[in-house]
Amino acid sequence: MKAYFDERQLRHAPKTYFRRGAAMPHQEQPQRAEILRDMLIGEGFEITKPGDHGLDPVRAVHNPGYVDFLPTAYERFVESAGTEALAIPTMHPGVRRGKEPKDIHGQLGWWMTDTSTPLTEGTWEAVYWSAQTAISAAEDVLAGSRSAYALCRPPGHHAMRDCSNGFCFFNNACVVANHLTSKFKRVALIDVDVHTGNGSLDILYERGDIFFCSLHPDPTTYPTFFLGHADETGEGEGEGKSLNILLEQGASQDDVLAALDKGIGAITDFGAEALVVSLGFDMAADDPLAAVQVYPDGFAEMARRLAAMGLPTVLVQEGGYLGPSLADNAKAFITTFREATA
């Protein structure tokens, strides 16, 4: 199983964001990816740099206007507000009527939902190569590999069709799932990050060819709040193709594995021919954003059960923050998955 990563993904380095009205250190730091990269090297993975596949695969799932906004947004903000200001939205349109404004401050509010995705000098490079990392892993599986791992950073599963959200800019997992439909008629995306895959739900809600399943506690918490309820099951061609499996806050490892089995069963019933995993290690009991109680042996068991599905699979990195067991949890899942699909 190849692992894909590009060092340029480390260039997004936000210092702070606002939560509950207060500035606090930003949780999504470059060190996350460095820890995961170093674990991979230690376990004998050869780190493969992604190819440059351009932005068409991204535009296939995101609003093209949103995609076009990001490359120059930071420079335009600095020109207006200076380098000491924090490039976050401070004005919002409310309901989505109206038109995209021309002013950079209005555009930040139009295309960004919250303060957790501040733009920095290196943000665009990191976001771009995070997406290319995901696309390259998808290309590997399209070419016949049984599995591939995309070490994506920044993560992506909170990014909606037309806006950033919750540390995420481009929804890498949805880009991969859509890309795989060029070969596979039915693709499944299962989200095992502890937070709702609200962006993925938004993007895939009317798709009949991609089944989406998310395991998470009550979604009415940061950063998702609005999406991820059990009665959100899809619309139009996507009716019945979205499944939110809700866990209790503090759910045990056994509870999480039981929920995973339910998701696997639904994906099997859907008849998926390929699988994308939004892989979050923030399910860990000691993660800084912890909400459930999963340990390294639980991550290994999750990997075994997903690998046992026997589907061509792309693992796309989502959350998992600077807790003491991050490397151990990643090692348990990724090496187990590699062995099970060898």
Side-chain angles (χ1 to χ4, degrees):
M1 181 173 74
K2 285 186 178 180
Y4 291 84
F5 178 67
D6 192 293
E7 297 289 331
R8 284 169 284 192
Q9 294 177 74
L10 302 175
R11 295 180 185 176
H12 174 61
K15 294 181 180 179
T16 59
Y17 73 117
F18 290 88
R19 184 173 176 185
R20 297 173 182 162
M24 60 181 58
H26 204 290
Q27 300 276 7
E28 206 288 287
Q29 289 298 308
Q31 291 89 337
R32 298 178 53 239
E34 292 173 328
I35 289 170
L36 297 176
R37 176 202 62 195
D38 292 348
M39 180 281 296
L40 292 169
I41 294 170
E43 292 303 312
F45 284 87
E46 179 181 350
I47 306 296
T48 302
K49 291 191 69 172
D52 190 343
H53 303 278
L55 288 170
D56 284 348
V58 177
R59 290 191 179 97
V61 303
H62 282 291
N63 183 314
Y66 170 60
V67 177
D68 293 342
F69 154 77
L70 284 173
T72 63
Y74 177 74
E75 288 77 10
R76 293 172 55 220
F77 178 85
V78 168
E79 183 179 350
S80 172
T83 57
E84 297 303 312
L86 186 62
I88 58 172
T90 53
M91 306 170 190
H92 297 274
V95 296
R96 296 293 290 214
R97 296 189 181 93
K99 297 180 180 180
E100 177 192 3
K102 301 298 183 184
D103 182 87
I104 181 60
H105 302 281
Q107 286 182 332
L108 288 171
W110 186 260
W111 295 120
M112 305 171 77
T113 63
D114 63 17
T115 70
S116 75
T117 53
L119 300 174
T120 71
E121 186 174 7
T123 296
W124 171 244
E125 272 193 294
V127 169
Y128 184 86
W129 288 104
S130 183
Q132 299 308 314
T133 293
I135 297 164
S136 293
E139 284 287 317
D140 191 7
V141 168
L142 286 170
S145 294
R146 291 189 62 188
S147 60
Y149 170 58
L151 175 43
C152 292
R153 191 265 159 187
H157 71 145
H158 297 313
M160 302 184 208
R161 182 177 181 272
D162 61 358
C163 54
S164 64
N165 176 248
F167 306 163
C168 302
F169 295 87
F170 287 157
N171 195 308
N172 299 310
C174 283
V175 171
V176 168
N178 182 72
H179 206 58
L180 292 179
T181 62
S182 65
K183 178 178 180 179
F184 303 103
K185 292 182 178 179
R186 291 191 164 213
V187 175
L189 168 52
I190 187 166
D191 190 317
V192 296
D193 185 282
V194 78
H195 302 104
T196 311
N198 59 314
S200 303
L201 187 70
D202 174 64
I203 290 169
L204 301 176
Y205 207 60
E206 297 180 6
R207 292 283 295 259
D209 56 343
I210 302 175
F211 185 92
F212 175 65
C213 175
S214 179
L215 283 56
H216 52 265
D218 183 345
T220 58
T221 57
Y222 185 85
T224 55
F225 285 113
F226 312 112
L227 291 173
H229 299 274
D231 61 354
E232 295 164 351
T233 58
E235 293 179 352
E237 293 183 7
E239 185 175 354
K241 306 301 190 302
S242 292
L243 175 63
N244 293 295
I245 303 175
L246 270 60
L247 299 160
E248 297 292 333
Q249 290 285 337
S252 71
Q253 186 163 282
D254 287 343
D255 293 333
V256 173
L257 290 171
L260 178 66
D261 285 343
K262 183 177 179 180
I264 289 172
I267 290 169
T268 301
D269 291 342
F270 172 69
E273 300 171 0
L275 181 67
V276 182
V277 180
S278 273
L279 180 58
F281 298 121
D282 45 8
M283 283 268 191
D286 63 1
D287 188 89
L289 300 180
V292 300
Q293 308 291 314
V294 179
Y295 300 89
D297 63 314
F299 284 106
E301 183 59 26
M302 291 170 74
R304 288 188 198 96
R305 297 186 189 192
L306 289 166
M309 298 177 72
L311 299 174
T313 301
V314 181
L315 307 176
V316 179
Q317 189 61 50
E318 303 288 1
Y321 301 95
L322 294 174
S325 70
L326 176 59
D328 292 337
N329 296 327
K331 176 182 175 180
F333 188 103
I334 295 169
T335 60
T336 300
F337 200 92
R338 175 179 62 177
E339 293 163 5
T341 58

